[in-house]
């Protein structure tokens, strides 16, 4: 085999990211035989990473593997998969054939099996029809989710409540057979409370196997009773009433008691179909990417060559990784790149365009080369101020939306080394963008600087507000610190892995489906008003009356 393989690197990409279940159908396999599955992407480079293998198959030449192979995939989905077939002959393995395909091609037609072209190890077999066939499909358990909305009420027995206040916690049994908290209601008083609605996402697998447990508590957090039911009970069989029981601890030597405490009533339940990210890809989703690169720390280490070289390498690795991952989905195949934290020439502005100084270098590799060359342009250190650049990016995105042929999603990536000196102005611009634009802001903290602002932004997002007291309409910020990851590749993947979720959230809040990404931007632009006021979307309607939204 002429490819590079790393069978010991199975877990090197073990990050929080979407998983995909592969469906593999084989016909007329040689017997006995087994298969191995590898992948590689823009970050892993030329190394094929083993992510699965079958047991030796001795009996069935027509084999179907459904939901037994799981692979992490990273945005965008330009990720190659390699399938190898081995024939077992007298306790030794002979490499029989292999096939390679692009995961993106598979996911653009997720409802169909894709036939693969086999290349045989023995060249003479390539001209002979052996009858062996291999086809693959995809099932996306974590992303292909619809919205389930439910509203619960209770009728307590007199002795169960005695005038106390009550609330419920809704749990579900997830795909890993673990109880997972879905929602917690507000506290209501009385024997017949009607709680606000619960909205959650449910996968196809959960629809088949999912179990709910609703536990009712009094105001002192003691359990009043609980009910259990399945997704099928409420959505397929139409059950709306459930008897509520409590297991009471027995006195020593006595059997456990089960007491009925009342009823839980499902007032209504509805399912709203939600497109998954593969639908947006199939619709031809385009992106535009801006980079902001912080040079302020360079002047601090100017006479420390070792530290300077290390920091440059981190910047180049992360810059190259992110660019390679995003590049295939850029509509115009170019990046807009700016420098901050330094001045160029006699300019006194807080940012400067790098490529205009370097004759327009646009590909991922040229991007890294341009970053290296840019150090020769720097004059003086400046405080790191991001609000002027964010304002410029927002202005450019608005202008682009007004003239481009179809709506895009905009991503702004900032690689910074420490404290942001215009924090309040910066926050105001980010809040504004959350109302006005299909845009996400990704921040990578590199080095040992002060990142307390970013950590606060990440951990206390619900408390963020601009100078006018306005809170963000949606979370449009992702933050990763390089020091929290073992390698630049891991940090890069973690940072971009949130982009699909941002696109779904934006689309759901603004009621955009995949087909809307085929429309011209002017057809969609009427969703927004200048000044950040929403037109056809009622923010209160979107946010109100829901206890918890996963």
């Amino acid at each position: 085999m002429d490819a590079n393989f790393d069978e010991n690197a199975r877990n090197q990409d073990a990050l929080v990211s979407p998983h995909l279940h592969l469906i593999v159908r084989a016909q007329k396999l040689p017997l006995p035989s087994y298969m191995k599955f590898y992948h590689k992407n823009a970050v892993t480079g030329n190394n094929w990473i083993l992510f699965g293998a079958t047991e030796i198959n001795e009996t069935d030449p027509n084999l179907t593997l459904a939901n037994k192979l799981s692979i992490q995939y990273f945005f965008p989905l330009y990720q190659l998969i390699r399938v190898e077939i081995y024939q077992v002959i007298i306790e030794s393995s002979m490499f029989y054939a292999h096939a390679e395909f692009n995961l993106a091609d598979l996911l653009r037609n997720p409802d169909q099996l894709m036939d693969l072209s086999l290349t045989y190890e023995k060249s003479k077999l390539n001209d002979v029809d052996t009858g062996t066939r291999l086809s693959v499909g995809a099932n996306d358990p974590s992303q292909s989710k619809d919205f389930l909305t439910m509203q619960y009420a209770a009728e307590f027995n007199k002795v169960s409540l005695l005038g106390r206040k009550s609330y419920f916690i809704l749990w579900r049994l997830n795909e890993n057979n673990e109880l997972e908290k879905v929602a917690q209601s507000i506290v209501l008083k009385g024997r017949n409370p009607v709680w606000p609605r619960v909205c959650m996402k449910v996968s196809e697998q959960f629809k088949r196997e999912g179990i709910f447990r609703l536990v009712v508590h009094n105001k002192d957090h003691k359990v009043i009773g609980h009910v259990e039911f399945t997704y099928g009970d409420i959505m397929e069989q139409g059950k709306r009433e459930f008897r509520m029981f409590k297991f009471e601890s027995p006195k020593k030597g006595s059997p456990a008691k089960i007491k009925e405490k009342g009823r839980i009533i499902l007032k209504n339940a509805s399912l709203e179909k939600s497109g998954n990210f593969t639908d947006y890809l199939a619709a031809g989703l385009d992106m535009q990417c801006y980079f902001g690169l912080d040079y302020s720390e360079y002047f601090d280490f100017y006479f420390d060559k070792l530290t300077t070289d290390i920091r440059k390498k981190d910047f180049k690795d992360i810059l190259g990784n992110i660019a390679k991952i995003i590049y295939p989905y850029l509509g115009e195949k170019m990046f807009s790149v700016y420098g901050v934290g330094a001045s160029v020439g006699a300019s006194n502005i807080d940012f400067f365009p790098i490529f205009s100084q370097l004759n327009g270098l646009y590909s991922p590799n040229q991007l890294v080369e341009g970053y290296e060359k840019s150090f020769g342009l720097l004059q003086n250190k400046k405080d790191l101020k991001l609000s002027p650049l964010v304002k410029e990016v927002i202005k450019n995105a608005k202008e682009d939306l007004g003239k481009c042929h179809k709506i895009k999603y905009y991503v702004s990536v900032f690689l910074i080394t420490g404290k942001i000196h215009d924090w309040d102005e910066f926050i105001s611009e980010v809040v504004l963008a959350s109302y006005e634009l299909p845009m996400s802001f990704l921040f990578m903290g590199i080095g040992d600087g002060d990142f307390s602002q970013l950590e606060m932004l990440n951990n206390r997002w619900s408390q963020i507000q601009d100078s006018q007291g306005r809170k963000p309409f949606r979370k449009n910020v992702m933050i990763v610190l390089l020091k929290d990851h073992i390698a630049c590749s891991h940090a890069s993947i973690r940072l971009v892995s949130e982009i699909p979720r941002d696109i779904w959230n934006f689309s759901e809040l603004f009621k955009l489906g995949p087909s809307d990404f085929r429309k011209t931007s002017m057809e969609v632009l009427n969703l927004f008003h200048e000044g950040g006021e929403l037109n056809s979307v009622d923010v209160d309607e979107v946010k109100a009356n829901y206890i918890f939204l996963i």
Side-chain angles (χ1 to χ4, degrees):
M1 296 178 289
D2 55 0
N4 296 319
F5 290 85
D6 186 356
E7 298 198 9
N8 296 318
R10 177 191 294 265
N11 296 316
Q12 78 172 36
D13 292 325
L15 301 166
V16 179
S17 59
H19 276 73
L20 188 77
H21 289 166
L22 293 183
I23 302 169
V24 180
R25 181 173 297 167
Q27 296 176 305
K28 295 187 178 180
L29 286 170
L31 295 178
S33 63
Y34 63 92
M35 290 184 282
K36 287 185 176 183
F37 300 85
Y38 298 86
H39 80 101
K40 68 178 179 180
N41 56 38
V43 176
T44 62
N46 290 326
N47 290 324
W48 289 98
I49 311 300
L50 179 72
F51 71 89
T54 66
E55 297 178 347
I56 295 176
N57 171 28
E58 298 181 313
T59 58
D60 189 359
N62 302 317
L63 184 66
T64 298
L65 302 173
N67 299 334
K68 292 185 178 180
L69 290 164
S70 180
I71 181 174
Q72 289 176 303
Y73 66 87
F74 312 112
F75 181 84
L77 307 179
Y78 272 64
Q79 190 163 344
L80 294 176
I81 306 292
R82 180 183 175 99
V83 186
E84 296 182 350
I85 302 173
Y86 290 84
Q87 187 173 11
V88 179
I89 302 175
I90 313 176
E91 298 185 354
S92 64
S93 300
M94 182 190 77
F95 184 42
Y96 179 73
H98 78 275
E100 295 179 9
F101 64 94
N102 194 320
L103 194 58
D105 294 335
L106 178 63
L107 290 180
R108 289 183 187 276
N109 298 286
D111 298 326
Q112 303 175 14
L113 288 178
M114 182 172 70
D115 294 329
L116 303 182
S117 176
L118 286 172
T119 300
Y120 293 91
E121 178 66 9
K122 291 186 176 181
S123 58
K124 63 181 180 181
L125 291 179
N126 286 306
D127 299 323
V128 177
D129 185 0
T130 65
T132 303
R133 301 286 185 271
L134 204 59
S135 54
V136 293
N139 175 26
D140 191 336
S142 60
Q143 310 295 344
S144 303
K145 295 182 178 180
D146 298 332
F147 281 105
L148 175 63
T149 302
M150 300 172 286
Q151 185 174 30
Y152 295 98
E155 292 182 1
F156 295 108
N157 296 340
K158 289 183 179 180
V159 294
S160 300
L161 195 62
L162 298 176
R164 300 174 190 165
K165 297 178 180 179
S166 63
Y167 68 93
F168 73 78
I169 298 178
L170 182 65
W171 303 81
R172 66 177 172 186
L173 201 64
N174 64 23
E175 286 84 355
N176 298 321
N177 227 25
E178 300 168 339
L179 275 176
E180 180 180 82
K181 185 177 179 180
V182 174
Q184 180 170 324
S185 76
I186 59 175
V187 177
L188 296 178
K189 185 178 181 179
R191 285 187 57 204
N192 305 109
V194 179
W195 290 289
R197 292 175 290 175
V198 179
C199 185
M200 60 178 291
K201 291 181 180 180
V202 289
S203 65
E204 294 301 319
Q205 182 175 342
F206 187 83
K207 292 177 187 178
R208 295 190 298 269
E209 306 169 2
I211 297 175
F212 289 108
R213 177 181 294 175
L214 189 145
V215 183
V216 182
H217 300 258
N218 63 26
K219 67 174 184 177
D220 299 319
H221 311 300
K222 294 181 179 178
V223 174
I224 298 173
H226 82 277
V227 299
E228 285 192 1
F229 51 90
T230 67
Y231 174 90
D233 288 336
I234 60 175
M235 299 306 294
E236 296 172 9
Q237 299 181 31
K239 291 185 179 180
R240 291 296 182 263
E241 295 186 7
F242 305 91
R243 297 165 68 190
M244 180 170 52
F245 294 95
K246 181 183 179 183
F247 293 88
E248 297 192 346
S249 302
K251 296 180 180 179
K252 192 173 182 179
S254 302
K257 293 183 178 180
I258 302 176
K259 290 190 175 181
E260 187 169 348
K261 296 294 183 176
R263 295 186 305 160
I264 293 296
I265 300 168
L266 183 60
K267 301 283 288 184
N268 55 67
S270 61
L271 189 71
E272 181 181 348
K273 289 289 184 180
S274 172
N276 63 39
F277 190 58
T278 61
D279 297 327
Y280 290 93
L281 294 178
L285 170 68
D286 276 346
M287 297 175 58
Q288 185 157 325
C289 183
Y290 303 91
F291 277 102
L293 308 179
D294 176 13
Y295 291 87
S296 60
E297 194 184 51
Y298 169 72
F299 295 92
D300 297 334
F301 297 133
Y302 187 80
F303 297 105
D304 183 349
K305 187 176 185 307
L306 177 60
T307 304
T308 299
D309 289 346
I310 291 173
R311 195 70 77 243
K312 279 185 178 180
K313 184 179 185 306
D314 288 342
F315 263 81
K316 288 192 292 186
D317 286 349
I318 292 170
L319 184 61
N321 286 337
I322 294 175
K324 289 176 183 176
I325 293 171
I326 294 179
Y327 184 72
Y329 282 81
L330 298 181
E332 297 178 5
K333 299 302 179 193
M334 58 182 287
F335 299 96
S336 298
V337 188
Y338 300 88
V340 291
S343 62
V344 173
S347 174
N348 195 38
I349 61 174
D350 290 302
F351 64 91
F352 57 92
I354 293 177
F355 283 173
S356 65
Q357 303 284 339
L358 297 169
N359 301 319
L361 307 174
Y362 301 126
S363 73
N365 290 335
Q366 290 173 321
L367 181 64
V368 174
E369 294 171 4
Y371 170 73
E372 182 66 42
K373 293 178 181 179
S374 66
F375 286 92
L377 306 171
L378 306 181
Q379 297 292 322
N380 299 294
K381 177 179 178 179
K382 296 176 68 71
D383 288 337
L384 175 59
K385 296 182 179 180
L386 291 182
S387 62
L389 177 53
V390 173
K391 187 177 295 185
E392 177 74 7
V393 165
I394 291 174
K395 179 176 76 73
N396 290 345
K398 284 183 178 179
E399 292 175 354
D400 187 63
L401 268 177
K403 65 184 181 182
C404 65
H405 296 297
K406 63 179 181 178
I407 190 171
K408 297 179 184 177
Y409 197 85
Y410 299 85
V411 178
S412 297
V413 182
F414 296 90
L415 309 186
I416 67 175
T417 60
K419 184 178 179 180
I420 300 170
H421 287 262
D422 58 342
W423 181 253
D424 292 340
E425 295 86 351
F426 160 71
I427 288 297
S428 293
E429 296 300 330
V430 171
V431 170
L432 176 65
S434 75
Y435 285 85
E436 289 195 344
L437 286 170
M439 176 179 283
S440 294
F441 296 92
L442 279 58
F443 293 88
M444 176 75 76
I446 300 175
D448 302 315
D450 180 5
F451 299 115
S452 56
Q453 294 168 318
L454 292 183
E455 291 173 326
M456 183 272 291
L457 186 63
N458 209 31
N459 298 330
R460 301 181 186 177
W461 179 258
S462 62
Q463 301 173 28
I464 295 297
Q465 57 185 25
D466 64 12
S467 57
Q468 300 176 2
R470 183 173 57 172
K471 293 187 175 182
F473 176 53
R474 65 186 182 96
K475 186 171 183 181
N476 57 346
V477 169
M478 176 62 186
I479 295 162
V480 169
L481 301 183
L482 177 58
K483 64 183 181 181
D484 295 336
H485 296 267
I486 63 174
C488 290
S489 60
H490 285 225
S492 304
I493 292 171
R494 181 68 187 97
L495 188 64
V496 298
S497 66
E498 292 295 323
I499 298 177
R501 187 172 291 111
D502 281 357
I503 292 174
W504 299 321
N505 289 340
F506 169 82
S507 302
E508 289 156 3
L509 287 172
F510 287 99
K511 306 183 188 306
L512 295 174
S515 61
D516 291 311
F517 284 84
R518 298 190 187 99
K519 296 178 180 178
T520 65
S521 59
M522 292 305 296
E523 291 179 276
V524 182
L525 205 57
N526 63 3
L527 288 174
F528 313 109
H529 269 324
E530 288 294 331
E533 296 299 325
L534 294 170
N535 181 11
S536 61
V537 178
D538 186 337
V539 179
D540 293 330
E541 175 62 25
V542 172
K543 291 186 173 181
N545 301 319
Y546 290 97
I547 298 169
F548 191 89
L549 180 62
I550 293 181

